[in-house]
């Protein structure tokens, strides 16, 4: 992942992650690479989560908490499965996911959970690698079973932007890059009346 990270992802994270505001939940945080990009001034609470919490994530979260002055329980680390978040409806203003929906077993179910825990007008900030929307997409479809078997969980041919819309979130800002391998942007949960 490193060359891609160096070339494209850092700039995308730098542009999108600071948009997280209010009560924020990050899913599938991995080693906590996004923590360097949050704008602490916009955050009331930050819950950083993954299915399994790595040592690196714990260290980075602790360092971020000190640096950002997120004391008194404003920064939480949680072991969470994206399929079943266990929070009441409308708990968060922002959910952040980066390179997670390529891996979750049931993206529709996980996105339904994201929608449920967002408040009306709450936002999903996302960066995902997806099936290219050009002729190489067919090649990627053929390679995916081998890739999935080799990585144990990752898929390179999902249409995550469409899955986000199908979950009832409105794509607000969306861009493709990296030869259309990456989709990134913000999706909004409609308010009750819209
Ligand atoms: C490719 S890593 C991405 C890590 C990080 N978000 C990033 O941008 O570098 C995918 C992460 O999703 C997590 N993950 C996969 N399935 C999950 C699930 N069902 N619930 C929560 N996290 C999950 C994995 O544990 C892993 O940390």
């Amino acid at each position: 992942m490193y060359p891609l990270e160096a070339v494209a992802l850092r700039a995308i994270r730098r542009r999108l992650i600071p948009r997280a505001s209010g009560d924020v939940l990050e899913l599938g945080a991995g080693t906590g690479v996004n923590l360097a990009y949050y704008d602490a001034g916009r955050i009331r609470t930050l819950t950083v989560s993954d299915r399994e919490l790595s040592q690196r994530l714990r260290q980075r979260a602790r360092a971020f908490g000190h640096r950002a002055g997120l004391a008194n329980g404003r920064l939480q680390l949680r072991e969470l499965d994206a399929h079943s978040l266990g929070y009441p409806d409308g708990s968060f203003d922002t959910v952040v996911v980066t390179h997670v929906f390529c891996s979750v077993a049931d993206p529709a179910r996980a996105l339904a959970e994201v929608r449920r825990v967002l408040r009306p007008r709450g936002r999903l900030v996302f960066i995902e690698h997806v099936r290219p929307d050009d002729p190489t997409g067919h090649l990627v479809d053929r390679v995916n079973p081998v890739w999935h078997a080799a990585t144990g969980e990752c898929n390179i041919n999902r249409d995550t932007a469409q899955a986000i819309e199908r979950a009832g979130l409105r794509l607000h800002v969306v861009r493709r890059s990296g030869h259309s391998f990456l989709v990134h942007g913000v999706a909004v949960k409609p308010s009750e009346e819209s």
Side-chain angles (χ1 to χ4, degrees):
M1 203 62 167
Y2 181 72
L4 185 61
E5 179 77 40
V7 173
L9 281 177
R10 262 187 223 157
I12 298 168
R13 291 186 204 270
R14 195 174 299 127
R15 183 170 56 79
L16 281 177
I17 303 301
R19 292 179 173 224
S21 63
D23 294 316
V24 180
L25 170 65
E26 179 170 347
L27 300 174
T31 59
V33 66
N34 288 328
L35 286 165
Y37 300 94
Y38 282 104
D39 177 353
R42 305 188 66 190
I43 292 173
R44 186 164 42 238
T45 64
L46 175 60
T47 304
V48 184
S49 74
D50 202 291
R51 206 176 31 184
E52 281 174 44
L53 299 179
S54 66
Q55 202 49 37
R56 189 83 182 99
L57 178 58
R58 289 177 195 277
Q59 287 164 353
R60 277 182 162 153
R62 238 189 332 266
F64 176 75
H66 285 306
R67 207 170 56 241
L70 290 181
N72 301 324
R74 287 174 64 209
L75 177 65
Q76 305 273 335
L77 265 177
R78 288 275 179 274
E79 228 157 68
L80 292 179
D81 184 336
H83 298 105
S84 177
L85 293 175
Y87 287 98
D89 296 358
S91 294
F92 295 97
D93 299 295
T94 311
V95 174
V96 174
V97 286
T98 65
H99 305 301
V100 175
F101 286 113
C102 53
S103 299
V104 297
D106 186 343
R109 188 169 148 204
L111 279 161
E113 273 295 85
V114 168
R115 187 184 196 281
R116 186 185 68 72
V117 300
L118 278 172
R119 298 186 175 126
R121 300 197 162 281
R123 297 177 309 162
L124 170 66
V125 173
F126 62 93
I127 306 170
E128 293 290 333
H129 67 80
V130 291
R131 184 184 191 277
D133 59 359
D134 63 23
T136 60
H138 297 290
L139 181 63
V140 168
D141 289 339
R142 291 224 289 278
V143 172
N144 190 61
V146 180
W147 179 265
H148 186 261
T151 60
E153 61 177 12
C154 182
N155 295 276
I156 48 177
N157 67 342
R158 286 190 169 162
D159 187 344
T160 298
Q162 189 186 68
I164 290 171
E165 282 192 303
R166 285 199 172 144
L169 298 168
R170 195 173 298 145
L171 291 172
H172 179 57
V173 188
V174 63
R175 287 194 202 168
R176 299 290 292 243
S177 59
H179 297 283
S180 91
F181 249 109
L182 292 172
V183 68
H184 38 97
V186 177
V188 180
K189 176 172 172 171
S191 57
E192 311 296 342
E193 59 279 1
S194 60

